[in-house]
Amino acid sequence: MNNAPVSPEVARAALILSRECLKNRDSASEALARLDDGVELIALATGMYSLPMVAKHLKDLQPAWFNPQMTKQLELSFTLSHFVLRSELIAFHRRCIAPDNLEHAYIKGSALAEVFFNRPALRYARDIDVIVSRGDLPRIVNSAREAGYTILNSLDATRNLEDEAGIQAAIRYQKVISLVSPMGRHIEVHWKIDKDQGLFDELQLLRDADEVVLDGLVISTLQPVDHFIYVAYHCARHNWSKLHWLADLDAMASSPLVPHGQLLDKAESLGLKGLIDETLAFVHLSGHLEVVPPGRLGARILDRVMDILLNGDERRIEFANSQVATALPFPDLLSPSLRCRMKINRLWGRLSPQVSDYQAWPLPEQWQWVYRVTGPIGRMLRRGKS
């Protein structure tokens, strides 16, 4: 969905209302009273995937301009999408994970909502993400293909991978495989969730995973503290650019399942304490209407989010293009040792074979070791031509 620029009043109202439980009812009422109508607010919440939560609060607070018919059809569409995606997760799990009782952990989306939201249907999701062990990936992909799922070409999302050698190269070199269900829903199957940064130990995350029951089906999801840290990292890497991600952070930060002392200890061990400190402060600030002085903890994240809301997709894309895909907007959110390790891992990742090497020069599997030499050179030449 595209997001047009909005006024500061609309942006602040959207930030305050885009969470399941309001931080401050008075701030929410005052923010809504500053709007002449709700047209821009509803459009922004729709484009930023937080409409169900915003509509819930509008019906509760009843600003003078609000009519329930303004959001009724949109709410129905979001709710239907939630239950369709939920049924798709269950179908995928039963076809591809459960038969072999494979280690897994669903992340974000429906699994997160089931644990942290009182009303999971308020949390809209577009796709399904699951972590698995690398050794199980071929089995999962084969089961999915037998069930009618297709595999997206990572270099051209408008095309599927069709040839067997190309599919095997994707399994060998990609950190995530993008499946498309027979119903057209996307399932992202990850064995790495940090783009080769070495930040997370995925096998340990799988061992520590918790169980959750989804419509009678027992599935696994990340342990709550691990889940918060991953979501905070994911939000930062994407410039906190979707309002339903803010709702996730708010629901998790408010949950007794995420003790802040334990959270900060774990974050410090990963070199991410700065990120988590700033994220917790931002979640609090974004729920109130107060003027935030520069330099206050969490203020720069709030400024970045407001900048994206005020200037629309153009600014979001500008930020995305200006930073390395694996980097965070503010480097000091990471410890110095982690920043150093990430730079080394990023360099090593560039030297490692990638699926683009195979697609540029398809070789039989026994000859693909050649990509360790030709891959970095070929990628540099292709970037030069483009």
Side-chain angles (χ1 to χ4, degrees), residues 276-304:
I276 300 305
D277 276 332
E278 195 105 18
T279 298
L280 291 171
F282 160 68
V283 169
H284 174 79
L285 293 176
S286 64
H288 297 77
L289 201 55
E290 65 186 85
V291 176
V292 180
R296 183 169 172 180
L297 194 65
R300 56 181 170 171
I301 299 180
L302 181 60
D303 289 343
R304 174 63 60 99

Short mmCIF file of all heavy atoms in Angstrom, two decimals, residues 276-304:
data_model
loop_
_atom_site.label_atom_id
_atom_site.label_comp_id
_atom_site.label_asym_id
_atom_site.label_seq_id
_atom_site.Cartn_x
_atom_site.Cartn_y
_atom_site.Cartn_z
N ILE A 276 17.61 -1.55 22.64
CA ILE A 276 16.45 -1.88 23.46
C ILE A 276 16.10 -0.73 24.40
O ILE A 276 14.92 -0.40 24.57
CB ILE A 276 16.69 -3.18 24.25
CG1 ILE A 276 16.95 -4.34 23.27
CG2 ILE A 276 15.50 -3.50 25.14
CD1 ILE A 276 15.86 -4.55 22.23
N ASP A 277 17.08 -0.09 24.99
CA ASP A 277 16.81 1.10 25.83
C ASP A 277 16.05 2.15 25.02
O ASP A 277 15.04 2.71 25.48
CB ASP A 277 18.12 1.71 26.32
CG ASP A 277 18.65 1.02 27.58
OD1 ASP A 277 17.84 0.50 28.35
OD2 ASP A 277 19.88 1.03 27.79
N GLU A 278 16.55 2.43 23.83
CA GLU A 278 15.94 3.48 23.00
C GLU A 278 14.55 3.06 22.51
O GLU A 278 13.63 3.88 22.44
CB GLU A 278 16.85 3.78 21.80
CG GLU A 278 16.53 5.06 21.08
CD GLU A 278 17.52 6.17 21.38
OE1 GLU A 278 18.63 5.88 21.86
OE2 GLU A 278 17.18 7.33 21.12
N THR A 279 14.38 1.78 22.20
CA THR A 279 13.09 1.29 21.73
C THR A 279 12.03 1.41 22.82
O THR A 279 10.90 1.85 22.56
CB THR A 279 13.20 -0.18 21.27
OG1 THR A 279 14.12 -0.26 20.18
CG2 THR A 279 11.86 -0.74 20.84
N LEU A 280 12.37 1.00 24.03
CA LEU A 280 11.41 1.10 25.14
C LEU A 280 11.01 2.55 25.39
O LEU A 280 9.82 2.85 25.63
CB LEU A 280 12.00 0.49 26.41
CG LEU A 280 12.20 -1.03 26.40
CD1 LEU A 280 12.99 -1.47 27.62
CD2 LEU A 280 10.85 -1.76 26.35
N ALA A 281 11.98 3.45 25.31
CA ALA A 281 11.67 4.87 25.51
C ALA A 281 10.77 5.39 24.39
O ALA A 281 9.82 6.15 24.63
CB ALA A 281 12.96 5.68 25.59
N PHE A 282 11.06 5.00 23.17
CA PHE A 282 10.24 5.43 22.02
C PHE A 282 8.81 4.94 22.15
O PHE A 282 7.86 5.69 21.87
CB PHE A 282 10.86 4.91 20.73
CG PHE A 282 9.91 4.85 19.57
CD1 PHE A 282 9.42 6.02 19.00
CD2 PHE A 282 9.48 3.64 19.06
CE1 PHE A 282 8.52 5.97 17.94
CE2 PHE A 282 8.59 3.58 18.01
CZ PHE A 282 8.11 4.76 17.44
N VAL A 283 8.63 3.69 22.55
CA VAL A 283 7.27 3.15 22.70
C VAL A 283 6.47 4.01 23.67
O VAL A 283 5.29 4.31 23.44
CB VAL A 283 7.32 1.68 23.18
CG1 VAL A 283 5.94 1.19 23.60
CG2 VAL A 283 7.87 0.78 22.06
N HIS A 284 7.11 4.42 24.76
CA HIS A 284 6.42 5.28 25.74
C HIS A 284 6.11 6.66 25.14
O HIS A 284 4.97 7.14 25.22
CB HIS A 284 7.26 5.43 27.00
CG HIS A 284 6.70 6.41 27.98
ND1 HIS A 284 5.65 6.10 28.83
CD2 HIS A 284 7.03 7.71 28.23
CE1 HIS A 284 5.36 7.15 29.56
NE2 HIS A 284 6.17 8.14 29.22
N LEU A 285 7.11 7.30 24.54
CA LEU A 285 6.93 8.65 24.02
C LEU A 285 5.86 8.71 22.94
O LEU A 285 5.08 9.66 22.88
CB LEU A 285 8.25 9.19 23.45
CG LEU A 285 9.40 9.44 24.42
CD1 LEU A 285 10.64 9.87 23.65
CD2 LEU A 285 9.00 10.49 25.45
N SER A 286 5.82 7.69 22.10
CA SER A 286 4.91 7.72 20.95
C SER A 286 3.45 7.60 21.36
O SER A 286 2.55 7.88 20.56
CB SER A 286 5.26 6.59 19.97
OG SER A 286 5.07 5.32 20.57
N GLY A 287 3.20 7.20 22.61
CA GLY A 287 1.82 7.06 23.07
C GLY A 287 1.26 8.30 23.73
O GLY A 287 0.11 8.30 24.20
N HIS A 288 2.05 9.38 23.79
CA HIS A 288 1.63 10.61 24.45
C HIS A 288 1.75 11.80 23.49
O HIS A 288 2.48 11.72 22.49
CB HIS A 288 2.48 10.87 25.70
CG HIS A 288 2.34 9.82 26.74
ND1 HIS A 288 2.95 8.59 26.64
CD2 HIS A 288 1.65 9.81 27.92
CE1 HIS A 288 2.64 7.86 27.71
NE2 HIS A 288 1.86 8.57 28.49
N LEU A 289 1.07 12.87 23.81
CA LEU A 289 1.05 14.03 22.93
C LEU A 289 2.07 15.10 23.35
O LEU A 289 2.20 16.12 22.71
CB LEU A 289 -0.36 14.64 22.93
CG LEU A 289 -0.76 15.52 21.75
CD1 LEU A 289 -0.55 14.78 20.42
CD2 LEU A 289 -2.20 15.98 21.88
N GLU A 290 2.79 14.86 24.41
CA GLU A 290 3.72 15.86 24.93
C GLU A 290 4.80 16.20 23.91
O GLU A 290 5.16 15.39 23.04
CB GLU A 290 4.39 15.32 26.20
CG GLU A 290 5.27 14.10 25.95
CD GLU A 290 5.81 13.49 27.23
OE1 GLU A 290 5.10 12.68 27.84
OE2 GLU A 290 6.96 13.82 27.58
N VAL A 291 5.31 17.42 24.01
CA VAL A 291 6.44 17.85 23.18
C VAL A 291 7.70 17.19 23.73
O VAL A 291 7.99 17.27 24.93
CB VAL A 291 6.58 19.38 23.19
CG1 VAL A 291 7.82 19.80 22.40
CG2 VAL A 291 5.33 20.03 22.61
N VAL A 292 8.45 16.55 22.87
CA VAL A 292 9.63 15.80 23.30
C VAL A 292 10.88 16.61 22.99
O VAL A 292 11.15 16.93 21.83
CB VAL A 292 9.71 14.43 22.58
CG1 VAL A 292 10.94 13.67 23.04
CG2 VAL A 292 8.44 13.63 22.84
N PRO A 293 11.66 16.98 24.00
CA PRO A 293 12.87 17.77 23.75
C PRO A 293 13.93 16.95 23.02
O PRO A 293 14.05 15.73 23.24
CB PRO A 293 13.36 18.14 25.16
CG PRO A 293 12.77 17.10 26.06
CD PRO A 293 11.46 16.70 25.43
N PRO A 294 14.70 17.57 22.12
CA PRO A 294 15.78 16.86 21.43
C PRO A 294 16.77 16.27 22.43
O PRO A 294 17.05 16.86 23.47
CB PRO A 294 16.44 17.96 20.59
CG PRO A 294 15.40 19.03 20.48
CD PRO A 294 14.61 18.98 21.75
N GLY A 295 17.29 15.13 22.12
CA GLY A 295 18.27 14.49 22.98
C GLY A 295 17.68 13.55 24.01
O GLY A 295 18.41 12.76 24.62
N ARG A 296 16.38 13.59 24.20
CA ARG A 296 15.76 12.68 25.16
C ARG A 296 15.78 11.26 24.60
O ARG A 296 15.63 11.05 23.39
CB ARG A 296 14.32 13.12 25.43
CG ARG A 296 13.60 12.27 26.48
CD ARG A 296 12.30 12.90 26.88
NE ARG A 296 11.51 12.04 27.72
CZ ARG A 296 10.32 12.37 28.22
NH1 ARG A 296 9.79 13.56 27.93
NH2 ARG A 296 9.65 11.54 28.98
N LEU A 297 15.98 10.29 25.46
CA LEU A 297 16.03 8.90 25.02
C LEU A 297 14.75 8.54 24.27
O LEU A 297 13.65 8.77 24.77
CB LEU A 297 16.22 7.98 26.23
CG LEU A 297 16.63 6.53 25.94
CD1 LEU A 297 18.02 6.49 25.32
CD2 LEU A 297 16.61 5.69 27.22
N GLY A 298 14.90 8.00 23.09
CA GLY A 298 13.75 7.62 22.27
C GLY A 298 13.31 8.70 21.30
O GLY A 298 12.54 8.43 20.36
N ALA A 299 13.80 9.96 21.49
CA ALA A 299 13.33 11.07 20.67
C ALA A 299 13.75 10.93 19.20
O ALA A 299 12.99 11.29 18.30
CB ALA A 299 13.84 12.39 21.24
N ARG A 300 14.95 10.42 18.96
CA ARG A 300 15.39 10.36 17.56
C ARG A 300 14.63 9.30 16.77
O ARG A 300 14.42 9.45 15.57
CB ARG A 300 16.90 10.13 17.48
CG ARG A 300 17.41 8.90 18.20
CD ARG A 300 18.91 8.81 18.07
NE ARG A 300 19.47 7.79 18.93
CZ ARG A 300 20.74 7.41 18.87
NH1 ARG A 300 21.55 7.96 17.99
NH2 ARG A 300 21.19 6.48 19.70
N ILE A 301 14.20 8.21 17.45
CA ILE A 301 13.34 7.25 16.75
C ILE A 301 12.00 7.90 16.44
O ILE A 301 11.47 7.77 15.33
CB ILE A 301 13.14 5.97 17.58
CG1 ILE A 301 14.48 5.27 17.83
CG2 ILE A 301 12.18 5.02 16.85
CD1 ILE A 301 14.36 3.98 18.63
N LEU A 302 11.44 8.62 17.41
CA LEU A 302 10.18 9.33 17.19
C LEU A 302 10.32 10.31 16.03
O LEU A 302 9.43 10.40 15.17
CB LEU A 302 9.76 10.05 18.47
CG LEU A 302 8.44 10.82 18.41
CD1 LEU A 302 7.28 9.90 18.08
CD2 LEU A 302 8.19 11.54 19.74
N ASP A 303 11.43 11.04 15.98
CA ASP A 303 11.66 11.99 14.88
C ASP A 303 11.73 11.27 13.54
O ASP A 303 11.20 11.76 12.53
CB ASP A 303 12.95 12.78 15.12
CG ASP A 303 12.83 13.78 16.26
OD1 ASP A 303 11.69 14.09 16.65
OD2 ASP A 303 13.88 14.22 16.77
N ARG A 304 12.40 10.12 13.51
CA ARG A 304 12.52 9.36 12.26
C ARG A 304 11.15 8.87 11.79
O ARG A 304 10.81 8.98 10.60
CB ARG A 304 13.48 8.18 12.46
CG ARG A 304 13.62 7.21 11.28
CD ARG A 304 14.19 7.87 10.04
NE ARG A 304 15.50 8.43 10.23
CZ ARG A 304 16.64 7.83 9.88
NH1 ARG A 304 16.60 6.63 9.31
NH2 ARG A 304 17.80 8.43 10.07
#
